[in-house]
């Protein structure tokens, strides 16, 4: 039935693509107009895949347009709003990412506790100092990566069909890297405070718990504000994983799972024997 309808031409030379092109979803996407346009493009692409190829270049009698050209004309206003929203969001996030990178880059040369005459950090033997170093390096790398992603968005031509997969994917990756940079920055800040006040406090446990909880307040607020965007990224990751399952034979996945279970059992047995 679907193949028969997809291959027919209706009144005024309209194909199924011409009927689908002016239609729009009534609901708005929570993550933004960019992902709303992405759903529109994917929906039109699914209809286009079931339509015979010789009807893709068929023009209607009213405006002498193909289904794709009519779709682009009908969604021109949505495209402009998506372009404006994406530009503003990328500029704001790139500014925040550059600020984070500047802070963590400066923190590398101003290590807590200072250095000796040979330039060796005085607290290099502390595990908290190594934790600070690792978190600071991760924050620098993730913030610079997010800057690169947002700059690639700003330098793109913002074509209609780039909103199908390319631009939303870059935006999701940039947000994820920025979120990770904020987490690692706050962790390095907490480690710096612990190294600074560890000598004056007798009990480190309560102070560490208090500092970690306070440090995660801005990260939690940022995560709650961008929750719909991360749900969209989660759906995209799920789709990629399902495609990976289709490409990779099931035997390989089952064998890796079995080997992982065997290793876990062996480690449990070894720990039990040592105890």
């Amino acid at each position: 039935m679907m193949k028969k309808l997809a291959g027919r031409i209706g009144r005024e030379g309209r194909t199924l693509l011409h009927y689908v092109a002016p239609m729009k979803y009534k609901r708005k996407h929570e993550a933004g107009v960019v992902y709303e346009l992405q759903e529109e493009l994917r929906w039109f692409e699914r209809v286009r895949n079931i339509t015979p190829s010789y009807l893709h270049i068929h023009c209607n009698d009213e405006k002498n347009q193909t289904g794709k050209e009519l779709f682009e004309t009908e969604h021109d206003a949505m495209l402009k709003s998506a372009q404006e929203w994406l530009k503003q969001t990328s500029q704001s996030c790139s500014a925040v990412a550059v600020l984070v990178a500047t802070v963590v880059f400066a923190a590398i040369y101003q290590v807590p506790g200072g250095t000796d005459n040979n330039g060796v950090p005085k607290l290099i033997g502390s595990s908290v100092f190594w934790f600070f170093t690792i978190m600071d390096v991760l924050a620098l790398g993730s913030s610079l990566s997010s800057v690169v992603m947002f700059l690639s968005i700003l330098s793109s031509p913002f074509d209609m069909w780039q909103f199908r997969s390319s631009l939303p994917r870059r935006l999701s990756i940039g947000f994820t890297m920025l979120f990770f940079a904020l987490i690692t920055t706050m962790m390095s800040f907490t480690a710096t405070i612990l190294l600074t006040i560890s000598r004056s406090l007798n009990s480190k446990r309560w102070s560490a718990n208090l500092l970690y909880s306070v440090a995660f307040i801005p990260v939690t607020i940022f995560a709650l504000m961008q929750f719909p965007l991360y749900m969209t990224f989660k759906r995209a990751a799920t789709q990629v994983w399902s495609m990976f399952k289709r490409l990779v034979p099931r035997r390989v996945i089952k064998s890796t799972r079995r080997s992982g279970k065997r290793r876990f059992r062996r480690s449990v047995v070894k720990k039990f024997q040592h105890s």
Side-chain angles (χ1 to χ4, degrees):
M1 179 65 70
M2 186 63 73
K3 291 181 180 180
K4 291 181 180 180
L5 290 175
R8 289 185 179 182
I9 299 177
R11 297 178 181 179
E12 299 179 355
R14 295 181 180 180
T15 62
L16 184 61
L17 294 175
H18 291 92
Y19 285 104
V20 168
M23 296 181 181
K24 297 179 181 178
Y25 287 116
K26 294 183 179 180
R27 65 179 182 88
K28 293 184 179 180
H29 205 284
E30 296 179 354
V33 67
V34 172
Y35 295 94
E36 185 179 353
L37 180 59
Q38 184 187 27
E39 289 186 355
E40 297 281 346
L41 292 169
R42 287 181 175 179
W43 181 51
F44 183 80
E45 191 70 21
R46 288 195 296 268
V47 178
R48 193 170 184 269
N49 290 333
I50 65 174
T51 307
S53 58
Y54 62 89
L55 292 179
H56 294 171
I57 58 175
H58 181 79
C59 300
N60 57 358
D61 299 336
E62 183 179 359
K63 297 182 180 180
N64 195 22
Q65 290 179 328
T66 62
K68 184 178 180 180
E69 292 173 350
L70 183 61
F71 177 86
E72 293 177 354
T73 303
E74 293 292 335
H75 291 77
D76 186 59
M78 184 182 293
L79 175 63
K80 290 181 180 179
S81 60
Q83 289 174 348
E84 184 179 359
W85 183 86
L86 187 59
K87 286 180 181 179
Q88 294 178 356
T89 305
S90 300
Q91 289 175 357
S92 302
C93 293
S94 60
V96 174
V98 169
L99 180 62
V100 173
T102 304
V103 172
V104 296
F105 184 79
I108 295 177
Y109 294 96
Q110 296 178 358
V111 293
T115 57
D116 56 11
N117 297 328
N118 297 325
V120 180
K122 296 180 181 180
L123 302 176
I124 195 171
S126 176
S127 59
V128 181
F129 178 82
W130 286 105
F131 179 77
F132 158 78
T133 306
I134 294 172
M135 291 296 105
D136 196 81
V137 172
L138 290 177
L140 181 61
S142 56
S143 60
L144 291 178
S145 300
S146 63
V147 170
V148 171
M149 295 305 298
F150 290 123
L151 288 179
S152 66
I153 292 174
L154 293 173
S155 61
S156 62
F158 293 97
D159 186 61
M160 167 74 78
W161 295 96
Q162 281 188 329
F163 285 89
R164 182 183 177 275
S165 59
S166 176
L167 292 177
R169 188 190 303 118
R170 296 180 192 177
L171 182 63
S172 300
I173 295 174
F175 264 120
T176 304
M177 298 303 295
L178 179 59
F179 181 69
F180 184 73
L182 290 175
I183 292 176
T184 51
T185 301
M186 297 309 297
M187 296 292 286
S188 62
F189 165 76
T190 306
T192 305
I193 299 299
L194 287 176
L195 288 172
T196 304
I197 66 176
S198 60
R199 297 180 180 179
S200 59
L201 292 177
N202 296 325
S203 178
K204 299 180 182 180
R205 182 174 299 177
W206 70 269
S207 59
N209 294 333
L210 179 61
L211 288 173
Y212 283 133
S213 59
V214 172
F216 273 97
I217 290 177
V219 179
T220 306
I221 295 174
F222 182 79
L224 292 175
M225 292 177 63
Q226 304 298 331
F227 181 74
L229 182 65
Y230 286 109
M231 291 301 295
T232 306
F233 182 74
K234 182 180 178 181
R235 294 172 187 171
T238 306
Q239 293 177 359
V240 172
W241 176 249
S242 61
M243 293 176 61
F244 177 76
K245 284 184 178 180
R246 294 177 184 176
L247 295 175
V248 178
R250 295 182 179 179
R251 296 179 180 178
V252 178
I253 298 175
K254 290 182 179 179
S255 62
T256 52
R257 289 180 178 177
R258 290 176 182 175
S259 61
K261 290 180 180 179
R262 291 174 182 174
R263 292 175 183 175
F264 178 74
R265 291 174 183 175
R266 291 175 183 174
S267 61
V268 171
V269 171
K270 288 181 180 180
K271 289 181 180 179
F272 181 75
Q273 289 177 353
H274 286 296
S275 63

